[in-house]
Amino acid sequence: MLRRKFNKLIASSAIPLIVSDMIDMSSSKDGLTILFQGDSITDAGRDRSRYYANHAGGLGDGYVGQIATDLLGQNHDKNLKIYNRGISGHKVYQLADRWEEDCMQLKPDILSILIGVNDFWHMLNGHYDGTAEIYDRDFRALIDRTLRELPDLELIIAEPFCVAGGSAVGSERWVREFPAYQELSKKIAEDYGAAFIPLQSIFEEALQKSDVSYWCPDGVHPSMAGSYIMAEAWLSVLAPMISK
Amino acid sequence: MLRRKFNKLIASSAIPLIVSDMIDMSSSKDGLTILFQGDSITDAGRDRSRYYANHAGGLGDGYVGQIATDLLGQNHDKNLKIYNRGISGHKVYQLADRWEEDCMQLKPDILSILIGVNDFWHMLNGHYDGTAEIYDRDFRALIDRTLRELPDLELIIAEPFCVAGGSAVGSERWVREFPAYQELSKKIAEDYGAAFIPLQSIFEEALQKSDVSYWCPDGVHPSMAGSYIMAEAWLSVLAPMISK
């Protein structure tokens, strides 16, 4: 489906382009709807009363706003519709609770999901009884349900991450137990043929250049610079997707 | 001064880069402070309680947030400090009223000012007694005052603009009288050796590609796509500035 909607991919390895420069999309009468789903990292302070497509305040101050600005600024003739429906604190089952309005009714062509940090964190701090198995089961059920109604959907799954040294991720249990959730997100992406964004390694690579306070002060919520590297990674994943 | 702080400019005309890719800055122990000043276009819904440098919510959803994300994402080792102090509705004299806290105390290395649309618009709708002459006088006085305390300042002046066809700029007086303000902003930039961003022609060029509703629905406040082309232009102005 996306092959019909995107047709041109400009790439060069001669100089270090940011990946968004390599994305170009063909004209489409139908347009293309992109939906971002997740928790506070996706939400990023968006004004939830601005739920219309392509509204700057409604898309938030995080990676979604950055991606949307790039895509809209570079593709005036593509009738893109970009929505953010991340809600702070949410776990997979809470996405499911609001999936009718916040996914099905929007009929996305591309659905990007970043979820899982709260499925672990809220269990850790005693506010949730979930386990990695429940995360896996709920996440797969959500995707099954989505694909039944939207079989042509292109799916992007972003890995939940925690950045070492952040003020909120000091417990040793993050190191011992959180990787199980991350591996499940990757396995789910593989099983459903979704594009996968390996955010954990992206932040670990960034830590070689500057410390956690620059990229993600509490280890969970990215700074502006952290949002930039997330957006860069997301846009890089869009490119191979569209040549499927 | 900036030559000491920036030292590398990567440019290539071989493929259509966005300009931000061409900007690279040398390490600086001092860091570099960039201040954006103006009205609602600069303000862009920023959370004014987040007045610290580099805070996503505090930088707003407009061109400033976009520029900051690019600069911070691409220059982790430069100790950049980026502030937005635009306030919706403001005219030049209102910048002057708050200049001590909102410019002098921040000691910017680079000051970017986009002001003037309200100096005309509020006169037009009967809420202000100003004229183009007052705009000119107040603007020059503000810059003189700034340069007395900050003689090494690099100044960027962005042209106030109105996009034809927008819902708020229907009066024929915009066509007849607003260009005087725009010409003054350009003349002031020339007289002070400031970099100038010709936003009017940038939006007019964009109108060749898509209509006003895509770039700037009311003719005054840019959409996300409009913010993108503003940010692109601003970043392109940074490059020649730094080779002075």
Side-chain angles (χ1 to χ4, degrees):
Chain A
M1 180 176 195
L2 286 175
R3 190 164 28 180
R4 291 202 311 274
K5 297 200 172 187
F6 296 74
N7 75 345
K8 203 172 154 191
L9 180 64
I10 302 165
S12 167
S13 57
I15 41 173
L17 288 170
I18 63 167
V19 178
S20 56
D21 296 316
M22 306 195 296
I23 295 169
D24 190 33
M25 289 174 274
S26 68
S27 285
S28 162
K29 226 161 89 175
D30 303 322
L32 188 74
T33 297
I34 305 177
L35 169 62
F36 292 88
Q37 265 290 3
D39 52 37
S40 56
I41 303 165
T42 302
D43 188 340
R46 72 183 174 96
D47 177 349
R48 292 178 203 153
S49 72
R50 305 290 194 170
Y51 48 80
Y52 307 96
N54 306 346
H55 188 286
L59 288 167
D61 299 316
Y63 71 100
V64 177
Q66 170 68 6
I67 290 165
T69 305
D70 267 31
L71 290 177
L72 292 167
Q74 295 173 21
N75 300 281
H76 60 87
D77 52 348
K78 306 311 182 297
N79 192 19
L80 294 177
K81 288 190 173 46
I82 305 178
Y83 295 98
N84 184 347
R85 291 292 186 271
I87 293 190
S88 188
H90 275 199
K91 297 165 278 290
V92 177
Y93 82 87
Q94 290 160 310
L95 300 190
D97 285 347
R98 56 188 178 82
W99 210 239
E100 177 56 28
E101 291 84 354
D102 281 354
C103 178
M104 298 311 194
Q105 293 180 2
L106 300 171
K107 296 191 176 17
D109 300 295
I110 298 176
L111 169 63
S112 174
I113 307 180
L114 168 54
I115 198 77
V117 72
N118 296 315
D119 296 75
F120 174 71
W121 196 8
H122 293 188
M123 177 277 292
L124 194 65
N125 63 23
H127 296 125
Y128 179 53
D129 284 333
T131 62
E133 290 67 33
I134 290 173
Y135 172 73
D136 186 49
R137 183 197 69 196
D138 288 356
F139 205 165
R140 287 174 188 271
L142 188 73
I143 298 173
D144 287 336
R145 173 181 166 192
T146 312
L147 292 176
R148 272 197 299 275
E149 275 192 45
L150 303 168
D152 290 330
L153 182 77
E154 293 281 346
L155 188 62
I156 297 176
I157 294 178
E159 182 181 30
F161 59 92
C162 73
V163 188
S167 56
V169 299
S171 162
E172 210 268 323
R173 290 184 63 187
W174 283 93
V175 181
R176 275 206 323 272
E177 301 173 38
F178 189 55
Y181 291 74
Q182 298 179 299
E183 282 155 28
L184 286 168
S185 76
K186 186 174 186 180
K187 184 69 167 56
I188 291 168
E190 284 168 7
D191 291 349
Y192 285 91
F196 181 70
I197 305 183
L199 291 175
Q200 187 63 39
S201 62
I202 286 163
F203 276 99
E204 282 170 9
E205 195 182 320
L207 285 182
Q208 306 299 312
K209 299 193 282 183
S210 198
D211 71 11
V212 65
S213 68
Y214 191 76
W215 304 109
C216 193
D218 70 359
V220 172
H221 299 95
S223 65
M224 293 191 89
S227 296
Y228 177 91
I229 57 174
M230 291 177 69
E232 205 181 17
W234 194 96
L235 290 163
S236 78
V237 153
L238 192 62
M241 255 183 82
I242 63 185
S243 59
K244 265 186 195 170
Chain B
M1 182 176 191
L2 286 175
R3 190 162 31 180
R4 291 202 312 272
K5 297 196 171 185
F6 297 74
N7 75 344
K8 204 172 154 192
L9 180 64
I10 302 165
S12 167
S13 57
I15 40 174
L17 288 169
I18 63 166
V19 178
S20 57
D21 295 318
M22 305 196 295
I23 294 170
D24 189 34
M25 288 173 274
S26 67
S27 285
S28 162
K29 228 162 90 176
D30 303 321
L32 188 74
T33 297
I34 304 176
L35 169 61
F36 291 88
Q37 266 290 2
D39 52 36
S40 56
I41 302 164
T42 302
D43 188 340
R46 72 184 175 96
D47 178 348
R48 293 181 200 150
S49 72
R50 305 289 194 170
Y51 48 80
Y52 307 96
N54 305 346
H55 188 284
L59 288 167
D61 298 317
Y63 71 100
V64 177
Q66 170 69 7
I67 290 166
T69 306
D70 268 31
L71 291 178
L72 292 167
Q74 295 174 22
N75 299 281
H76 61 86
D77 53 347
K78 305 312 182 297
N79 193 21
L80 293 178
K81 286 189 173 50
I82 305 178
Y83 296 98
N84 184 347
R85 291 292 186 271
I87 293 190
S88 188
H90 276 198
K91 297 165 277 291
V92 177
Y93 82 86
Q94 290 160 309
L95 301 190
D97 285 347
R98 56 187 178 83
W99 210 239
E100 176 56 27
E101 291 84 355
D102 281 354
C103 179
M104 297 312 194
Q105 293 179 3
L106 300 171
K107 294 190 176 21
D109 299 296
I110 299 176
L111 169 63
S112 174
I113 307 180
L114 167 54
I115 198 80
V117 73
N118 296 315
D119 297 75
F120 174 71
W121 196 8
H122 292 189
M123 177 276 294
L124 195 65
N125 64 22
H127 296 127
Y128 178 54
D129 285 332
T131 62
E133 291 67 35
I134 290 173
Y135 172 72
D136 186 50
R137 183 197 68 196
D138 287 357
F139 205 164
R140 288 175 188 270
L142 189 72
I143 299 173
D144 287 336
R145 173 181 166 192
T146 312
L147 292 176
R148 273 197 299 275
E149 274 193 45
L150 303 169
D152 291 329
L153 182 77
E154 292 283 347
L155 187 62
I156 298 176
I157 294 178
E159 183 181 29
F161 60 93
C162 71
V163 188
S167 55
V169 299
S171 163
E172 210 268 322
R173 291 184 64 187
W174 282 94
V175 180
R176 275 206 322 273
E177 301 174 38
F178 188 55
Y181 292 75
Q182 298 179 300
E183 283 156 27
L184 286 168
S185 75
K186 186 175 185 181
K187 185 67 167 58
I188 291 168
E190 284 168 7
D191 291 350
Y192 286 92
F196 181 70
I197 306 183
L199 291 174
Q200 187 63 40
S201 61
I202 287 164
F203 276 99
E204 282 170 8
E205 196 181 319
L207 284 182
Q208 306 299 314
K209 300 193 282 184
S210 198
D211 72 10
V212 64
S213 67
Y214 191 76
W215 303 108
C216 192
D218 70 359
V220 172
H221 299 95
S223 65
M224 293 191 89
S227 296
Y228 176 89
I229 57 173
M230 291 178 69
E232 205 182 17
W234 194 95
L235 289 164
S236 77
V237 153
L238 192 61
M241 255 184 81
I242 62 183
S243 59
K244 266 186 193 169

